[in-house]
Amino acid sequence: MAITQAVANSFKKELLEGKHDFQFTGGSVFKLALYTSAATLNSSTTVYPGDSTGNQVPDSGQYTQGGGVLVKPNPSTSVASGVAIVDFNDLSFTGVTLTARGALIYNTSNSNSAVAVLDFGADKTATSGTFTIQFPAFTTSAAILRIGNA
């Protein structure tokens, strides 16, 4: 089992087909679900729940399987120096006791299709506390989703 950080291959195709809308107002609804180290998620993941063996983090406190809704800040998209970027606000779950190795971002407005797999690099835990997914800076070199010149 392994979690490998990647943009889902199916997302790349669906993006060109206009199935994902990252606009601040309106647009698609994106969620983030947490997974244990026993999960298998990678660029071939096509849809939530992604891991067919059920290795999502169990319900605890504010976290429930299926995860939380990602909030798009204003602006949620930008382009500079030939690189288009997408941003989400950090996401926190309070009152939780959990251990997560990675996450899946998926689009609930498009049949729960996978967008990206996040690998935390190691197990991350919270004990009777807050678990926060902190997204990288909204820049062309760091944003969570970037499309640029090859």
Side-chain angles (χ1 to χ4, degrees):
M1 314 296 172
I3 296 175
T4 304
Q5 184 147 323
V7 174
N9 291 333
S10 56
F11 168 75
K12 296 171 189 175
K13 178 180 177 283
E14 291 168 352
L15 194 60
L16 295 176
E17 294 171 344
K19 295 181 179 179
H20 300 273
D21 184 347
F22 289 92
Q23 292 182 79
F24 170 68
T25 303
S28 300
V29 175
F30 297 91
K31 290 184 81 175
L32 181 143
L34 298 172
Y35 289 83
T36 70
S37 60
T40 300
L41 300 168
N42 52 47
S43 62
S44 296
T45 301
T46 59
V47 68
Y48 167 84
D51 177 66
S52 61
T53 56
N55 291 304
Q56 272 191 75
V57 169
D59 295 355
S60 176
Q62 191 185 38
Y63 181 80
T64 58
Q65 288 193 347
V69 173
L70 291 169
V71 175
K72 297 172 278 189
N74 188 14
S76 56
T77 60
S78 184
V79 66
S81 304
V83 180
I85 57 177
V86 172
D87 194 20
F88 296 110
N89 289 341
D90 294 348
L91 177 63
S92 295
F93 301 102
T94 59
V96 298
T97 297
L98 60 81
T99 300
R101 172 56 194 245
L104 176 65
I105 297 172
Y106 63 101
N107 183 346
T108 65
S109 301
N110 184 38
S111 303
N112 292 336
S113 57
V115 172
V117 174
L118 307 179
D119 179 1
F120 300 156
D123 282 348
K124 304 296 180 185
T125 62
T127 304
S128 298
T130 301
F131 191 93
T132 300
I133 292 83
Q134 184 176 13
F135 286 96
F138 187 47
T139 66
T140 57
S141 61
I144 194 67
L145 289 173
R146 301 181 300 274
I147 300 173
N149 301 329

